[in-house]
Amino acid sequence: MFSAIARIFRTPDLRRKIAFTLAIIALYRFGAHIPAPFVDFPNVQTCLEASSGTEGLLSLVNLFSGGALLQLSIFALGVMPYITATIIVQLLRVVIPHFETLYKEGQSGQARLTQYTRYLTIALALLQSTTLVTVARSGQLFGTTNVPECEQLLTNDVWWAQLLMIITMTAGTGLIMWFAELVTERGIGNGMSLLIFTSIAAAFPVSMWAIAQSKGFEVFLLVLAVGIVVVALVVYVEQSQRRIPVQYAKRMVGRRTYGGTNTYIPIKVNMAGVVPVIFASSLLYIPALIAQFNQPQAGEEVPAWVAWIQLYLVRGDHPLYMALYFLLIVGFTYFYVAITFNPVEVADNMKKYGGFIPGIRAGRPTAEYLDYVLTRITLPGSIYLGLIALLPLIALATVGANQNFPFGGASILIIVGVGLETVKQIDAQLQQRHYEGLLR
C-alpha cells in the first residue's frame, strides 16, 4: 500500500494532477468562508453558535455547501443548483423528445445537454440566491432561536444591496462550476463529485466534536464504531451488482469474423444513487415551508394545520416523519430507476448487434426478463437507501445529533461513492505507467 502511494508521487503527470485538484479544493473551501457583501458576519457566527442548524431542505443544501449556506458566503449555494439542474435535464429526457435525441447523438449531443445544464444552473442559482437573501432579511434563516442577532443578519437591506448579494452568490455558483470542469479536465476524478465530497467531509469533524462535547467521550466512541460498520456495509452494497450474462453471435464482415464474445450487463443493487434521498428531503420540506410562511402575528392563535405540521413534519425525530421519509425514498427509487434504465432500449441494442441472454429469446422476452430482474433487485436497493437515510434521524432522536449527522443519509453515500470512484481512477492511471495499481 505504502509503495503504491510512493509510486503516485514519483509519477510526474499523476503528481501534477493531484496537486492541481488539491489546489482547486483549497480555493473552494477558502471561498466558502468569505462572507457576501452587506452580511453582518459577527451576528451570523452568533446565530450559528446558538442554533443547531436547520431542518429539511435547508439542512441538505447547507450540507452540500460545506456549511457555507448558513454563513451567507459567496459560495453559499454550493453545488446544489448544479445537482438540481442535472437531475431536471435528466428527467426532461423522458418528457422532451429533443433531449432524448441529443442524448443519443453521442459526444456532440452530450455537449449540448451540458450547455443546457449550465444555463439552468445559473437560472436556479439566481432563484435560490433571491430566496436565501429574502429569508435572511426576514430573520427566519435560523428558525426561532430567540437570539436578537438572528433578526439582523444584513448590515444594509436596501434593494441595491440585496441585488448585489444575489449577483455575488449567483456568480459564486458559476465559479464553482468552472472549478469543477477544471478538475475534470486537468485533475483526478469528476470535479463536481469531488467538490461535493469536500463539502460534506468538511462538516465531519464539527459534527463529531459536537457529539463528543454534548454526550461525552463514551457516546463519541460508540458513534465512531457504528460509523465504521456503516461505511463497511455501504462499500459492500455499493460494489454489489447482478451480472446478467450476454453472448454475441459470430458475424462475417468481408473476410473478418466479429462477435463470438461473452460479456455481462452489470445491474447495481443501488442504481439510483443518492437522488431518491434528495427527492424525498425536498418533498418533505414543502409542508414545513408552507407553514413557515403562514405564521400568525403576535397575539394571534396558531392555526391547527400549522401546529400539526410543526409537530409532525418539521423535526425528523417523530415516527410519522420517519415513516413518510422511508416510503418516499422507496417510491422515488423505483421511479428514478425506471427513468434511467430502459429495458426495451437495452434489449433492442443487444438484438441489433447480435447479442442475447442464454436461455432468453432476443427482443421482447429479453426486455421482460431485464425488467423482472430490475424490479426484484431494486427492492433491496430501495430498502437499503431508506435505512441509510434514516440513520441521521435515528441519531437525532437518540444522541441528540443534528440532521447533518455524518454517518448516514446522503453524506455517507456520496463520501463512499466518490471515494471509491476516485481511487479507481488513480489505480487505472498507475496501471498504465507501472503495470501495478493502487489496489490489489
Side-chain angles (χ1 to χ4, degrees):
M1 182 66 180
F2 292 105
S3 62
I5 295 175
R7 283 198 302 272
I8 292 176
F9 292 100
R10 283 200 301 265
T11 306
D13 185 40
L14 197 54
R15 187 173 63 242
R16 280 195 300 269
K17 288 182 177 182
I18 293 178
F20 181 80
T21 303
L22 293 177
I24 293 293
I25 288 175
L27 284 175
Y28 172 64
R29 289 305 303 157
F30 177 70
H33 294 281
I34 300 177
F38 304 106
V39 171
D40 195 330
F41 192 69
N43 285 2
V44 170
Q45 296 302 310
T46 303
C47 293
L48 282 173
E49 293 175 2
S51 172
S52 60
T54 55
E55 288 81 21
L57 186 62
L58 275 184
S59 175
L60 190 68
V61 177
N62 188 53
L63 176 67
F64 280 5
S65 67
L69 176 78
L70 294 183
Q71 295 189 28
L72 296 174
S73 70
I74 59 174
F75 289 167
L77 302 180
V79 296
M80 202 63 184
Y82 184 84
I83 296 173
T84 309
T86 303
I87 295 173
I88 290 174
V89 170
Q90 198 167 13
L91 295 178
L92 285 179
R93 283 172 38 204
V94 185
V95 181
I96 303 177
H98 177 62
F99 279 30
E100 183 67 23
T101 304
L102 288 175
Y103 179 76
K104 294 179 179 179
E105 281 183 1
Q107 188 173 0
S108 61
Q110 293 284 352
R112 291 284 300 278
L113 286 177
T114 302
Q115 197 66 20
Y116 291 154
T117 304
R118 291 170 183 161
Y119 294 148
L120 185 57
T121 299
I122 296 301
L124 289 173
L126 193 63
L127 177 63
Q128 292 179 14
S129 59
T130 304
T131 305
L132 178 61
V133 172
T134 303
V135 173
R137 181 175 177 268
S138 66
Q140 296 294 320
L141 182 62
F142 294 90
T144 54
T145 56
N146 297 322
V147 178
E149 287 84 356
C150 295
E151 298 180 1
Q152 299 176 355
L153 299 177
L154 307 182
T155 58
N156 194 343
D157 60 354
V158 296
W159 68 268
W160 57 267
Q162 297 180 49
L163 180 62
L164 183 59
M165 290 181 65
I166 292 169
I167 293 174
T168 302
M169 291 180 181
T170 305
T173 300
L175 189 59
I176 291 172
M177 267 200 307
W178 183 57
F179 282 169
E181 292 178 0
L182 283 178
V183 171
T184 303
E185 292 174 6
R186 301 172 55 185
I188 289 289
N190 182 280
M192 192 58 70
S193 299
L194 281 173
L195 293 185
I196 299 172
F197 177 95
T198 304
S199 300
I200 297 173
F204 265 52
V206 177
S207 300
M208 295 302 293
W209 181 246
I211 294 174
Q213 281 189 319
S214 60
K215 297 297 178 180
F217 195 65
E218 293 80 6
V219 176
F220 170 78
L221 290 178
L222 177 63
V223 170
L224 193 60
V226 171
I228 294 173
V229 174
V230 169
V231 169
L233 291 175
V234 170
V235 170
Y236 178 76
V237 177
E238 290 295 321
Q239 296 291 90
S240 302
Q241 56 183 221
R242 168 74 183 275
R243 295 180 176 181
I244 300 177
V246 178
Q247 294 180 359
Y248 284 91
K250 291 183 179 180
R251 295 177 297 142
M252 292 294 296
V253 180
R255 294 184 178 182
R256 293 188 176 183
T257 303
Y258 293 91
T261 58
N262 297 329
T263 183
Y264 59 87
I265 301 174
I267 299 182
K268 295 182 64 177
V269 174
N270 179 25
M271 288 193 65
V274 75
V275 175
V277 180
I278 298 175
F279 279 178
S281 301
S282 305
L283 195 62
L284 274 180
Y285 182 64
I286 293 176
L289 184 64
I290 296 174
Q292 184 177 352
F293 284 103
N294 285 273
Q295 293 292 331
Q297 299 294 330
E300 296 182 3
E301 187 178 354
V302 179
W305 65 273
V306 174
W308 189 88
I309 289 176
Q310 290 177 340
L311 180 62
Y312 296 108
L313 297 180
V314 173
R315 286 183 59 84
D317 54 357
H318 197 278
L320 178 61
Y321 185 98
M322 294 184 183
L324 286 175
Y325 193 38
F326 181 83
L327 293 175
L328 282 173
I329 288 174
V330 171
F332 278 130
T333 302
Y334 275 95
F335 169 72
Y336 191 72
V337 169
I339 287 176
T340 55
F341 187 90
N342 189 350
V344 177
E345 183 181 349
V346 174
D348 290 342
N349 290 334
M350 288 171 53
K351 185 178 180 180
K352 185 187 301 182
Y353 295 103
F356 62 93
I357 300 173
I360 307 294
R361 293 179 58 188
R364 183 177 176 183
T366 298
E368 292 176 350
Y369 176 75
L370 290 174
D371 184 64
Y372 170 77
V373 173
L374 190 66
T375 303
R376 292 280 297 272
I377 205 170
T378 302
L379 178 61
S382 62
I383 295 174
Y384 150 79
L385 269 182
L387 293 176
I388 291 295
L390 284 180
L391 285 178
L393 305 184
I394 296 172
L396 177 68
T398 54
V399 300
N402 59 22
Q403 292 195 19
N404 292 339
F405 180 70
F407 298 113
S411 58
I412 197 68
L413 293 171
I414 293 174
I415 286 285
V416 171
V418 176
L420 288 174
E421 189 61 33
T422 306
V423 168
K424 286 179 182 177
Q425 291 204 20
I426 295 175
D427 181 68
Q429 297 211 20
L430 274 180
Q431 287 183 352
Q432 289 179 359
R433 295 166 174 83
H434 299 281
Y435 302 104
E436 287 186 12
L438 186 64
L439 306 175
R440 293 186 180 180

